Amino acid sequence: SSPVRPVLKGWKQRGALDSYMLDITIEVAGKTDPEAADASALVEHTADKIGSKGTGLWSVQVALEVGCPVPSLAQAVLARQMSMTRAERQKNCGLIGSVVGAAPVSAPAGEERDKLVEDLYWAVYLSIVASYAQMFQALRIVDKEYGLEIIGNLPRIIST
């Protein structure tokens, strides 16, 4: 069983990070690949590639048009676009090598591990707070710029 899954479950129990995304991450972290002879984790056999509908890119473009930086969303869009160039990344890896094949570093144990897990929890927590702050700032500015009446109707919009 993955050592990641119990950590994520602990984060969920703390309440602040409880979300659909965390739920599906917990589920995936516990899955083994039924086709792998060694019953290894499914994520070890999952391609690092994803598609895009363009809504993230459009959101970044609109935010920047009204002068509102959204660095968390912009970075997510860039990471997604980089994932779409898997064949090119694999070719480059063949030419220059990869750190993925580097010797693994031993995982910390005991108090050192607990401190690392706690630091990661707070890093995730603060990244979510920063992302939401950026999103709400962008909504306020876009709403003001285009007169969309988003802010006044936000509870109704979110509930649908």
Side-chain angles (χ1 to χ4, degrees):
S1 177
S2 168
V4 174
R5 193 168 192 212
V7 169
L8 298 176
K9 282 184 171 183
W11 290 1
K12 178 180 174 61
Q13 289 174 343
R14 290 171 77 166
L17 299 182
D18 187 10
S19 66
Y20 170 74
M21 290 301 291
L22 183 57
D23 288 343
I24 62 173
T25 303
I26 290 168
E27 186 174 336
V28 170
K31 296 289 184 190
T32 56
D33 186 345
E35 297 178 12
D38 62 355
S40 52
L42 180 62
V43 296
E44 298 297 327
H45 304 276
T46 304
D48 59 337
K49 181 180 178 181
I50 192 165
S52 174
K53 296 181 291 187
T55 53
L57 177 59
W58 171 79
S59 298
V60 171
Q61 290 170 329
V62 170
L64 292 175
E65 285 172 6
V66 297
C68 183
V70 285
S72 296
L73 182 54
Q75 186 56 48
V77 169
L78 291 172
R80 180 170 282 223
Q81 289 179 336
M82 285 299 299
S83 82
M84 290 186 261
T85 63
R86 187 168 197 258
E88 182 180 345
R89 288 183 290 112
Q90 287 177 319
K91 180 181 174 190
N92 290 340
C93 179
L95 295 171
I96 61 175
S98 170
V99 295
V100 174
V105 178
S106 62
E111 287 182 23
E112 185 181 357
R113 179 192 177 279
D114 294 344
K115 182 182 179 332
L116 176 62
V117 168
E118 185 68 10
D119 288 348
L120 286 171
Y121 172 86
W122 287 108
V124 170
Y125 182 92
L126 292 173
S127 71
I128 291 170
V129 169
S131 295
Y132 274 94
Q134 292 167 27
M135 177 196 66
F136 283 120
Q137 178 67 6
L139 283 173
R140 279 191 293 275
I141 294 172
V142 168
D143 190 33
K144 183 178 178 183
E145 181 73 23
Y146 294 108
L148 300 173
E149 300 179 9
I150 296 171
I151 301 304
N153 291 301
L154 202 53
R156 182 185 56 76
I157 293 168
I158 291 172
S159 69
T160 57

PDB file of all heavy atoms in Angstrom, residues 40-77:
ATOM      1  N   SER A  40       2.576  -2.896  -8.596  1.00  0.00           N
ATOM      2  CA  SER A  40       3.025  -1.548  -8.244  1.00  0.00           C
ATOM      3  C   SER A  40       1.901  -0.533  -8.406  1.00  0.00           C
ATOM      4  O   SER A  40       0.857  -0.823  -8.985  1.00  0.00           O
ATOM      5  CB  SER A  40       4.238  -1.153  -9.097  1.00  0.00           C
ATOM      6  OG  SER A  40       3.968  -1.341 -10.465  1.00  0.00           O
ATOM      7  N   ALA A  41       2.139   0.658  -7.891  1.00  0.00           N
ATOM      8  CA  ALA A  41       1.128   1.720  -7.896  1.00  0.00           C
ATOM      9  C   ALA A  41       0.743   2.111  -9.320  1.00  0.00           C
ATOM     10  O   ALA A  41       1.596   2.181 -10.205  1.00  0.00           O
ATOM     11  CB  ALA A  41       1.642   2.931  -7.138  1.00  0.00           C
ATOM     12  N   LEU A  42      -0.532   2.373  -9.505  1.00  0.00           N
ATOM     13  CA  LEU A  42      -1.045   2.782 -10.811  1.00  0.00           C
ATOM     14  C   LEU A  42      -0.344   4.043 -11.312  1.00  0.00           C
ATOM     15  O   LEU A  42      -0.040   4.163 -12.498  1.00  0.00           O
ATOM     16  CB  LEU A  42      -2.559   3.007 -10.726  1.00  0.00           C
ATOM     17  CG  LEU A  42      -3.258   3.437 -12.006  1.00  0.00           C
ATOM     18  CD1 LEU A  42      -3.110   2.365 -13.093  1.00  0.00           C
ATOM     19  CD2 LEU A  42      -4.727   3.712 -11.743  1.00  0.00           C
ATOM     20  N   VAL A  43      -0.068   4.995 -10.403  1.00  0.00           N
ATOM     21  CA  VAL A  43       0.563   6.249 -10.834  1.00  0.00           C
ATOM     22  C   VAL A  43       1.945   6.016 -11.426  1.00  0.00           C
ATOM     23  O   VAL A  43       2.431   6.841 -12.205  1.00  0.00           O
ATOM     24  CB  VAL A  43       0.635   7.303  -9.700  1.00  0.00           C
ATOM     25  CG1 VAL A  43      -0.740   7.730  -9.260  1.00  0.00           C
ATOM     26  CG2 VAL A  43       1.455   6.805  -8.534  1.00  0.00           C
ATOM     27  N   GLU A  44       2.592   4.906 -11.084  1.00  0.00           N
ATOM     28  CA  GLU A  44       3.908   4.597 -11.655  1.00  0.00           C
ATOM     29  C   GLU A  44       3.815   4.212 -13.133  1.00  0.00           C
ATOM     30  O   GLU A  44       4.811   4.201 -13.834  1.00  0.00           O
ATOM     31  CB  GLU A  44       4.579   3.471 -10.863  1.00  0.00           C
ATOM     32  CG  GLU A  44       4.856   3.810  -9.417  1.00  0.00           C
ATOM     33  CD  GLU A  44       5.845   4.958  -9.254  1.00  0.00           C
ATOM     34  OE1 GLU A  44       6.759   5.101 -10.093  1.00  0.00           O
ATOM     35  OE2 GLU A  44       5.681   5.717  -8.283  1.00  0.00           O
ATOM     36  N   HIS A  45       2.600   3.876 -13.578  1.00  0.00           N
ATOM     37  CA  HIS A  45       2.397   3.420 -14.955  1.00  0.00           C
ATOM     38  C   HIS A  45       1.468   4.345 -15.739  1.00  0.00           C
ATOM     39  O   HIS A  45       0.985   3.981 -16.800  1.00  0.00           O
ATOM     40  CB  HIS A  45       1.828   1.996 -14.945  1.00  0.00           C
ATOM     41  CG  HIS A  45       2.683   1.032 -14.195  1.00  0.00           C
ATOM     42  ND1 HIS A  45       3.755   0.394 -14.750  1.00  0.00           N
ATOM     43  CD2 HIS A  45       2.644   0.643 -12.891  1.00  0.00           C
ATOM     44  CE1 HIS A  45       4.336  -0.367 -13.837  1.00  0.00           C
ATOM     45  NE2 HIS A  45       3.684  -0.232 -12.699  1.00  0.00           N
ATOM     46  N   THR A  46       1.210   5.522 -15.204  1.00  0.00           N
ATOM     47  CA  THR A  46       0.309   6.472 -15.839  1.00  0.00           C
ATOM     48  C   THR A  46       1.128   7.480 -16.635  1.00  0.00           C
ATOM     49  O   THR A  46       2.100   8.036 -16.116  1.00  0.00           O
ATOM     50  CB  THR A  46      -0.540   7.203 -14.774  1.00  0.00           C
ATOM     51  OG1 THR A  46      -1.228   6.215 -14.006  1.00  0.00           O
ATOM     52  CG2 THR A  46      -1.533   8.145 -15.402  1.00  0.00           C
ATOM     53  N   ALA A  47       0.738   7.717 -17.859  1.00  0.00           N
ATOM     54  CA  ALA A  47       1.456   8.674 -18.710  1.00  0.00           C
ATOM     55  C   ALA A  47       1.335  10.077 -18.142  1.00  0.00           C
ATOM     56  O   ALA A  47       0.280  10.481 -17.653  1.00  0.00           O
ATOM     57  CB  ALA A  47       0.908   8.631 -20.135  1.00  0.00           C
ATOM     58  N   ASP A  48       2.419  10.800 -18.197  1.00  0.00           N
ATOM     59  CA  ASP A  48       2.447  12.185 -17.711  1.00  0.00           C
ATOM     60  C   ASP A  48       1.988  13.132 -18.819  1.00  0.00           C
ATOM     61  O   ASP A  48       2.718  13.984 -19.288  1.00  0.00           O
ATOM     62  CB  ASP A  48       3.849  12.546 -17.219  1.00  0.00           C
ATOM     63  CG  ASP A  48       4.897  12.389 -18.304  1.00  0.00           C
ATOM     64  OD1 ASP A  48       4.670  11.629 -19.269  1.00  0.00           O
ATOM     65  OD2 ASP A  48       5.951  13.036 -18.201  1.00  0.00           O
ATOM     66  N   LYS A  49       0.763  12.960 -19.233  1.00  0.00           N
ATOM     67  CA  LYS A  49       0.226  13.737 -20.341  1.00  0.00           C
ATOM     68  C   LYS A  49      -1.260  13.966 -20.105  1.00  0.00           C
ATOM     69  O   LYS A  49      -1.960  13.064 -19.663  1.00  0.00           O
ATOM     70  CB  LYS A  49       0.429  12.969 -21.652  1.00  0.00           C
ATOM     71  CG  LYS A  49      -0.074  13.680 -22.875  1.00  0.00           C
ATOM     72  CD  LYS A  49       0.183  12.847 -24.109  1.00  0.00           C
ATOM     73  CE  LYS A  49      -0.370  13.545 -25.321  1.00  0.00           C
ATOM     74  NZ  LYS A  49      -0.174  12.766 -26.540  1.00  0.00           N
ATOM     75  N   ILE A  50      -1.723  15.168 -20.414  1.00  0.00           N
ATOM     76  CA  ILE A  50      -3.130  15.493 -20.222  1.00  0.00           C
ATOM     77  C   ILE A  50      -3.572  16.437 -21.336  1.00  0.00           C
ATOM     78  O   ILE A  50      -2.755  17.161 -21.899  1.00  0.00           O
ATOM     79  CB  ILE A  50      -3.363  16.108 -18.825  1.00  0.00           C
ATOM     80  CG1 ILE A  50      -4.845  16.190 -18.495  1.00  0.00           C
ATOM     81  CG2 ILE A  50      -2.701  17.456 -18.697  1.00  0.00           C
ATOM     82  CD1 ILE A  50      -5.124  16.433 -17.034  1.00  0.00           C
ATOM     83  N   GLY A  51      -4.835  16.424 -21.642  1.00  0.00           N
ATOM     84  CA  GLY A  51      -5.378  17.309 -22.669  1.00  0.00           C
ATOM     85  C   GLY A  51      -5.832  18.627 -22.061  1.00  0.00           C
ATOM     86  O   GLY A  51      -5.642  18.894 -20.876  1.00  0.00           O
ATOM     87  N   SER A  52      -6.444  19.456 -22.881  1.00  0.00           N
ATOM     88  CA  SER A  52      -6.901  20.764 -22.422  1.00  0.00           C
ATOM     89  C   SER A  52      -8.107  21.203 -23.239  1.00  0.00           C
ATOM     90  O   SER A  52      -8.172  20.980 -24.442  1.00  0.00           O
ATOM     91  CB  SER A  52      -5.772  21.782 -22.590  1.00  0.00           C
ATOM     92  OG  SER A  52      -6.216  23.075 -22.298  1.00  0.00           O
ATOM     93  N   LYS A  53      -9.063  21.835 -22.545  1.00  0.00           N
ATOM     94  CA  LYS A  53     -10.223  22.396 -23.230  1.00  0.00           C
ATOM     95  C   LYS A  53      -9.998  23.876 -23.531  1.00  0.00           C
ATOM     96  O   LYS A  53     -10.747  24.467 -24.291  1.00  0.00           O
ATOM     97  CB  LYS A  53     -11.487  22.227 -22.375  1.00  0.00           C
ATOM     98  CG  LYS A  53     -11.881  20.782 -22.150  1.00  0.00           C
ATOM     99  CD  LYS A  53     -13.136  20.675 -21.322  1.00  0.00           C
ATOM    100  CE  LYS A  53     -12.825  21.119 -19.916  1.00  0.00           C
ATOM    101  NZ  LYS A  53     -13.887  20.941 -18.946  1.00  0.00           N
ATOM    102  N   GLY A  54      -9.030  24.491 -22.862  1.00  0.00           N
ATOM    103  CA  GLY A  54      -8.729  25.883 -23.128  1.00  0.00           C
ATOM    104  C   GLY A  54      -9.312  26.874 -22.143  1.00  0.00           C
ATOM    105  O   GLY A  54      -9.052  28.071 -22.240  1.00  0.00           O
ATOM    106  N   THR A  55     -10.118  26.409 -21.180  1.00  0.00           N
ATOM    107  CA  THR A  55     -10.740  27.351 -20.247  1.00  0.00           C
ATOM    108  C   THR A  55      -9.716  28.003 -19.319  1.00  0.00           C
ATOM    109  O   THR A  55      -9.862  29.168 -18.958  1.00  0.00           O
ATOM    110  CB  THR A  55     -11.841  26.669 -19.410  1.00  0.00           C
ATOM    111  OG1 THR A  55     -11.290  25.503 -18.797  1.00  0.00           O
ATOM    112  CG2 THR A  55     -13.022  26.282 -20.271  1.00  0.00           C
ATOM    113  N   GLY A  56      -8.686  27.261 -18.929  1.00  0.00           N
ATOM    114  CA  GLY A  56      -7.641  27.843 -18.088  1.00  0.00           C
ATOM    115  C   GLY A  56      -6.878  28.929 -18.828  1.00  0.00           C
ATOM    116  O   GLY A  56      -6.650  30.025 -18.294  1.00  0.00           O
ATOM    117  N   LEU A  57      -6.495  28.639 -20.067  1.00  0.00           N
ATOM    118  CA  LEU A  57      -5.785  29.623 -20.880  1.00  0.00           C
ATOM    119  C   LEU A  57      -6.653  30.860 -21.101  1.00  0.00           C
ATOM    120  O   LEU A  57      -6.188  31.997 -20.948  1.00  0.00           O
ATOM    121  CB  LEU A  57      -5.386  29.010 -22.230  1.00  0.00           C
ATOM    122  CG  LEU A  57      -4.691  29.948 -23.216  1.00  0.00           C
ATOM    123  CD1 LEU A  57      -3.411  30.523 -22.625  1.00  0.00           C
ATOM    124  CD2 LEU A  57      -4.413  29.202 -24.523  1.00  0.00           C
ATOM    125  N   TRP A  58      -7.912  30.656 -21.424  1.00  0.00           N
ATOM    126  CA  TRP A  58      -8.830  31.782 -21.624  1.00  0.00           C
ATOM    127  C   TRP A  58      -8.924  32.609 -20.350  1.00  0.00           C
ATOM    128  O   TRP A  58      -8.913  33.841 -20.395  1.00  0.00           O
ATOM    129  CB  TRP A  58     -10.207  31.252 -22.039  1.00  0.00           C
ATOM    130  CG  TRP A  58     -11.260  32.294 -22.058  1.00  0.00           C
ATOM    131  CD1 TRP A  58     -11.485  33.229 -23.039  1.00  0.00           C
ATOM    132  CD2 TRP A  58     -12.239  32.548 -21.042  1.00  0.00           C
ATOM    133  NE1 TRP A  58     -12.553  34.033 -22.697  1.00  0.00           N
ATOM    134  CE2 TRP A  58     -13.026  33.640 -21.467  1.00  0.00           C
ATOM    135  CE3 TRP A  58     -12.531  31.959 -19.823  1.00  0.00           C
ATOM    136  CZ2 TRP A  58     -14.078  34.145 -20.715  1.00  0.00           C
ATOM    137  CZ3 TRP A  58     -13.578  32.461 -19.069  1.00  0.00           C
ATOM    138  CH2 TRP A  58     -14.330  33.550 -19.525  1.00  0.00           C
ATOM    139  N   SER A  59      -9.025  31.961 -19.194  1.00  0.00           N
ATOM    140  CA  SER A  59      -9.125  32.683 -17.926  1.00  0.00           C
ATOM    141  C   SER A  59      -7.884  33.518 -17.656  1.00  0.00           C
ATOM    142  O   SER A  59      -7.974  34.667 -17.207  1.00  0.00           O
ATOM    143  CB  SER A  59      -9.340  31.699 -16.767  1.00  0.00           C
ATOM    144  OG  SER A  59     -10.549  30.996 -16.944  1.00  0.00           O
ATOM    145  N   VAL A  60      -6.705  32.961 -17.937  1.00  0.00           N
ATOM    146  CA  VAL A  60      -5.456  33.710 -17.762  1.00  0.00           C
ATOM    147  C   VAL A  60      -5.429  34.905 -18.708  1.00  0.00           C
ATOM    148  O   VAL A  60      -5.082  36.025 -18.313  1.00  0.00           O
ATOM    149  CB  VAL A  60      -4.227  32.802 -17.986  1.00  0.00           C
ATOM    150  CG1 VAL A  60      -2.935  33.618 -18.033  1.00  0.00           C
ATOM    151  CG2 VAL A  60      -4.136  31.738 -16.896  1.00  0.00           C
ATOM    152  N   GLN A  61      -5.809  34.704 -19.949  1.00  0.00           N
ATOM    153  CA  GLN A  61      -5.803  35.789 -20.932  1.00  0.00           C
ATOM    154  C   GLN A  61      -6.724  36.927 -20.507  1.00  0.00           C
ATOM    155  O   GLN A  61      -6.343  38.097 -20.560  1.00  0.00           O
ATOM    156  CB  GLN A  61      -6.217  35.259 -22.316  1.00  0.00           C
ATOM    157  CG  GLN A  61      -5.181  34.372 -22.946  1.00  0.00           C
ATOM    158  CD  GLN A  61      -5.694  33.659 -24.191  1.00  0.00           C
ATOM    159  OE1 GLN A  61      -6.883  33.349 -24.312  1.00  0.00           O
ATOM    160  NE2 GLN A  61      -4.789  33.385 -25.113  1.00  0.00           N
ATOM    161  N   VAL A  62      -7.935  36.609 -20.074  1.00  0.00           N
ATOM    162  CA  VAL A  62      -8.890  37.634 -19.663  1.00  0.00           C
ATOM    163  C   VAL A  62      -8.373  38.378 -18.433  1.00  0.00           C
ATOM    164  O   VAL A  62      -8.439  39.609 -18.367  1.00  0.00           O
ATOM    165  CB  VAL A  62     -10.293  37.026 -19.402  1.00  0.00           C
ATOM    166  CG1 VAL A  62     -11.222  38.042 -18.751  1.00  0.00           C
ATOM    167  CG2 VAL A  62     -10.893  36.521 -20.706  1.00  0.00           C
ATOM    168  N   ALA A  63      -7.834  37.636 -17.469  1.00  0.00           N
ATOM    169  CA  ALA A  63      -7.300  38.278 -16.268  1.00  0.00           C
ATOM    170  C   ALA A  63      -6.164  39.237 -16.627  1.00  0.00           C
ATOM    171  O   ALA A  63      -6.119  40.375 -16.133  1.00  0.00           O
ATOM    172  CB  ALA A  63      -6.818  37.222 -15.271  1.00  0.00           C
ATOM    173  N   LEU A  64      -5.273  38.811 -17.496  1.00  0.00           N
ATOM    174  CA  LEU A  64      -4.161  39.677 -17.882  1.00  0.00           C
ATOM    175  C   LEU A  64      -4.637  40.878 -18.699  1.00  0.00           C
ATOM    176  O   LEU A  64      -4.075  41.974 -18.579  1.00  0.00           O
ATOM    177  CB  LEU A  64      -3.108  38.880 -18.654  1.00  0.00           C
ATOM    178  CG  LEU A  64      -2.353  37.835 -17.836  1.00  0.00           C
ATOM    179  CD1 LEU A  64      -1.413  37.023 -18.728  1.00  0.00           C
ATOM    180  CD2 LEU A  64      -1.598  38.480 -16.684  1.00  0.00           C
ATOM    181  N   GLU A  65      -5.677  40.696 -19.504  1.00  0.00           N
ATOM    182  CA  GLU A  65      -6.229  41.813 -20.278  1.00  0.00           C
ATOM    183  C   GLU A  65      -6.725  42.940 -19.384  1.00  0.00           C
ATOM    184  O   GLU A  65      -6.657  44.111 -19.762  1.00  0.00           O
ATOM    185  CB  GLU A  65      -7.379  41.334 -21.172  1.00  0.00           C
ATOM    186  CG  GLU A  65      -6.937  40.562 -22.395  1.00  0.00           C
ATOM    187  CD  GLU A  65      -8.108  39.946 -23.152  1.00  0.00           C
ATOM    188  OE1 GLU A  65      -9.284  40.204 -22.794  1.00  0.00           O
ATOM    189  OE2 GLU A  65      -7.842  39.187 -24.101  1.00  0.00           O
ATOM    190  N   VAL A  66      -7.238  42.580 -18.212  1.00  0.00           N
ATOM    191  CA  VAL A  66      -7.741  43.607 -17.292  1.00  0.00           C
ATOM    192  C   VAL A  66      -6.685  43.992 -16.249  1.00  0.00           C
ATOM    193  O   VAL A  66      -6.987  44.687 -15.278  1.00  0.00           O
ATOM    194  CB  VAL A  66      -9.061  43.178 -16.608  1.00  0.00           C
ATOM    195  CG1 VAL A  66     -10.156  42.993 -17.647  1.00  0.00           C
ATOM    196  CG2 VAL A  66      -8.881  41.944 -15.743  1.00  0.00           C
ATOM    197  N   GLY A  67      -5.451  43.525 -16.445  1.00  0.00           N
ATOM    198  CA  GLY A  67      -4.353  43.917 -15.573  1.00  0.00           C
ATOM    199  C   GLY A  67      -4.306  43.190 -14.247  1.00  0.00           C
ATOM    200  O   GLY A  67      -3.797  43.717 -13.261  1.00  0.00           O
ATOM    201  N   CYS A  68      -4.822  41.978 -14.206  1.00  0.00           N
ATOM    202  CA  CYS A  68      -4.831  41.204 -12.959  1.00  0.00           C
ATOM    203  C   CYS A  68      -3.970  39.951 -13.114  1.00  0.00           C
ATOM    204  O   CYS A  68      -4.359  39.003 -13.792  1.00  0.00           O
ATOM    205  CB  CYS A  68      -6.261  40.818 -12.595  1.00  0.00           C
ATOM    206  SG  CYS A  68      -6.358  39.947 -11.028  1.00  0.00           S
ATOM    207  N   PRO A  69      -2.808  39.932 -12.480  1.00  0.00           N
ATOM    208  CA  PRO A  69      -1.983  38.733 -12.583  1.00  0.00           C
ATOM    209  C   PRO A  69      -2.617  37.560 -11.833  1.00  0.00           C
ATOM    210  O   PRO A  69      -3.200  37.733 -10.765  1.00  0.00           O
ATOM    211  CB  PRO A  69      -0.664  39.146 -11.915  1.00  0.00           C
ATOM    212  CG  PRO A  69      -1.020  40.281 -11.026  1.00  0.00           C
ATOM    213  CD  PRO A  69      -2.218  40.964 -11.645  1.00  0.00           C
ATOM    214  N   VAL A  70      -2.534  36.379 -12.425  1.00  0.00           N
ATOM    215  CA  VAL A  70      -3.033  35.151 -11.801  1.00  0.00           C
ATOM    216  C   VAL A  70      -1.936  34.079 -11.931  1.00  0.00           C
ATOM    217  O   VAL A  70      -2.073  33.122 -12.678  1.00  0.00           O
ATOM    218  CB  VAL A  70      -4.366  34.679 -12.435  1.00  0.00           C
ATOM    219  CG1 VAL A  70      -5.526  35.535 -11.985  1.00  0.00           C
ATOM    220  CG2 VAL A  70      -4.294  34.690 -13.955  1.00  0.00           C
ATOM    221  N   PRO A  71      -0.844  34.253 -11.180  1.00  0.00           N
ATOM    222  CA  PRO A  71       0.313  33.374 -11.369  1.00  0.00           C
ATOM    223  C   PRO A  71       0.051  31.894 -11.102  1.00  0.00           C
ATOM    224  O   PRO A  71       0.615  31.050 -11.799  1.00  0.00           O
ATOM    225  CB  PRO A  71       1.369  33.936 -10.411  1.00  0.00           C
ATOM    226  CG  PRO A  71       0.620  34.782  -9.443  1.00  0.00           C
ATOM    227  CD  PRO A  71      -0.601  35.272 -10.159  1.00  0.00           C
ATOM    228  N   SER A  72      -0.793  31.562 -10.145  1.00  0.00           N
ATOM    229  CA  SER A  72      -1.061  30.142  -9.873  1.00  0.00           C
ATOM    230  C   SER A  72      -1.758  29.491 -11.061  1.00  0.00           C
ATOM    231  O   SER A  72      -1.381  28.398 -11.495  1.00  0.00           O
ATOM    232  CB  SER A  72      -1.920  29.980  -8.618  1.00  0.00           C
ATOM    233  OG  SER A  72      -1.233  30.445  -7.489  1.00  0.00           O
ATOM    234  N   LEU A  73      -2.774  30.154 -11.588  1.00  0.00           N
ATOM    235  CA  LEU A  73      -3.493  29.619 -12.739  1.00  0.00           C
ATOM    236  C   LEU A  73      -2.596  29.599 -13.981  1.00  0.00           C
ATOM    237  O   LEU A  73      -2.596  28.636 -14.740  1.00  0.00           O
ATOM    238  CB  LEU A  73      -4.759  30.426 -13.009  1.00  0.00           C
ATOM    239  CG  LEU A  73      -5.642  29.951 -14.158  1.00  0.00           C
ATOM    240  CD1 LEU A  73      -6.025  28.480 -14.007  1.00  0.00           C
ATOM    241  CD2 LEU A  73      -6.883  30.816 -14.265  1.00  0.00           C
ATOM    242  N   ALA A  74      -1.804  30.649 -14.169  1.00  0.00           N
ATOM    243  CA  ALA A  74      -0.905  30.702 -15.327  1.00  0.00           C
ATOM    244  C   ALA A  74       0.100  29.547 -15.279  1.00  0.00           C
ATOM    245  O   ALA A  74       0.355  28.898 -16.307  1.00  0.00           O
ATOM    246  CB  ALA A  74      -0.179  32.043 -15.375  1.00  0.00           C
ATOM    247  N   GLN A  75       0.636  29.265 -14.104  1.00  0.00           N
ATOM    248  CA  GLN A  75       1.588  28.161 -13.985  1.00  0.00           C
ATOM    249  C   GLN A  75       0.910  26.821 -14.236  1.00  0.00           C
ATOM    250  O   GLN A  75       1.489  25.934 -14.853  1.00  0.00           O
ATOM    251  CB  GLN A  75       2.253  28.168 -12.611  1.00  0.00           C
ATOM    252  CG  GLN A  75       3.353  27.140 -12.472  1.00  0.00           C
ATOM    253  CD  GLN A  75       4.436  27.274 -13.528  1.00  0.00           C
ATOM    254  OE1 GLN A  75       4.951  28.352 -13.780  1.00  0.00           O
ATOM    255  NE2 GLN A  75       4.785  26.177 -14.172  1.00  0.00           N
ATOM    256  N   ALA A  76      -0.321  26.665 -13.773  1.00  0.00           N
ATOM    257  CA  ALA A  76      -1.060  25.427 -14.022  1.00  0.00           C
ATOM    258  C   ALA A  76      -1.285  25.229 -15.520  1.00  0.00           C
ATOM    259  O   ALA A  76      -1.155  24.111 -16.035  1.00  0.00           O
ATOM    260  CB  ALA A  76      -2.394  25.446 -13.277  1.00  0.00           C
ATOM    261  N   VAL A  77      -1.606  26.308 -16.228  1.00  0.00           N
ATOM    262  CA  VAL A  77      -1.803  26.233 -17.679  1.00  0.00           C
ATOM    263  C   VAL A  77      -0.495  25.843 -18.364  1.00  0.00           C
ATOM    264  O   VAL A  77      -0.471  24.974 -19.242  1.00  0.00           O
ATOM    265  CB  VAL A  77      -2.346  27.569 -18.246  1.00  0.00           C
ATOM    266  CG1 VAL A  77      -2.299  27.583 -19.768  1.00  0.00           C
ATOM    267  CG2 VAL A  77      -3.770  27.805 -17.755  1.00  0.00           C
TER     268      VAL A  77
END
